[in-house]
Amino acid sequence: MPETKPFAYCDQLVKQFEAVIQKPIPGRSSFYYTGVDLGTACVVLTVLDDSRKPVAGAYRYADVVRDGMVVDYLGAIQIVRELKAQLEQQLGTELEYAAAAIPPGTDLLDAGAIKHVIQGAGFEVTALLDEPTAANAVLQISDGAIVDIGGGTTGITILKDGKVVYLADEATGGTHFSLVIAGAYQMSFSEADCFKRDPAHHQELLPLLRPVIDKVSSIINRHVVGYEVKELYLVGGTCCLSGMETIIEQKTGIATYKPSNPLFVTPLGIALNC
Ligand code: ATP
């Protein structure tokens, strides 16, 4: 088992965020920072107050983006607009400014579309950053690799002395895990995805999902060649799967750590950069 790495700031911020999703805190600030994470599987809005503490948040599973590309432009605008309206009602104020992020390597591909979706939903876009930069605003690591296993892809970012020295993003993510479950359990994709997200099923699912986790591990192994990576930090919703970190550590031979809830690390980092 990997030893526990102290993710003090990250875990505290995520815990606060989980609490305000359930119970927003209105009236604490005259100014709000919003992060919009337009993911392959999930759209997450995070709202921070003027001292950069979480005050509200909302998310919805959706199929409007694939591998960083907006495939349902109007659907994406609609979801962001609805989540924005929900948060504005909870906070009793208009949310004007938002930052967003794009997966590494997709800036030339689709950064414009992501920006237009957020503007189309009524925000003024203050920053468009890459996902690893967002994640590291919360993780605050200076050496090692951030491995972001999201819905559609696995992103690998290698840092040395606080600087990004290598970036890659490859297909294989939570969608592939859900497809395996759908096939094995004769479920629809969305039933399988929902089944997978329930921690009560994780122990049962781990042997079935092992080949996909092994594939993710081999992707990591391929990309870290030539860099002396001593630590892996897992983020992204797929890493919520209990026990996954142990398999990745065994397959890569690199000490592997994950925060208490890897799903919200990048979305919070986006809002921190707003
Ligand atoms: P991408 O970064 O590839 O564009 P994304 O931003 O939508 O995708 P995330 O929100 O980080 O990705 O993660 C979504 C994935 O995480 C989905 O496949 C979802 O099923 C999975 N996931 C979310 N919660 C859990 C959980 N508790 N257990 C297992 N998997 C989970």
Side-chain angles (χ1 to χ4, degrees), residues 175-193:
T175 301
H176 305 82
F177 287 60
S178 301
L179 286 171
V180 170
I181 298 166
Y185 285 67
Q186 297 291 294
M187 289 175 176
S188 69
F189 176 82
S190 58
E191 281 169 343
D193 202 69

Side-chain angles (χ1 to χ4, degrees), residues 77-154:
I77 292 178
Q78 185 62 22
I79 290 173
V80 177
R81 196 179 278 155
E82 285 172 12
L83 293 176
K84 178 177 186 279
Q86 176 190 324
L87 294 170
E88 286 175 340
Q89 199 199 13
Q90 290 171 349
L91 293 171
T93 188
E94 192 190 345
L95 298 170
E96 290 176 73
Y97 304 102
I102 48 170
T106 60
D107 46 343
L108 293 174
L109 204 69
D110 218 31
I114 287 182
K115 188 174 173 185
H116 291 140
V117 166
I118 294 159
Q119 286 171 333
F123 282 112
E124 186 175 320
V125 178
T126 56
L128 201 58
L129 53 147
D130 62 88
E131 286 177 351
T133 302
N136 207 27
V138 178
L139 293 173
Q140 302 184 330
I141 61 159
S142 58
D143 291 283
I146 299 174
V147 178
D148 182 350
I149 315 174
T153 59
T154 294

Side-chain angles (χ1 to χ4, degrees), residues 29-51:
S29 181
S30 56
F31 193 86
Y32 294 96
Y33 303 96
T34 306
V36 180
D37 188 1
L38 218 50
T40 302
C42 197
V43 177
V44 188
L45 263 65
T46 42
V47 187
L48 309 181
D49 66 10
D50 51 12
S51 59

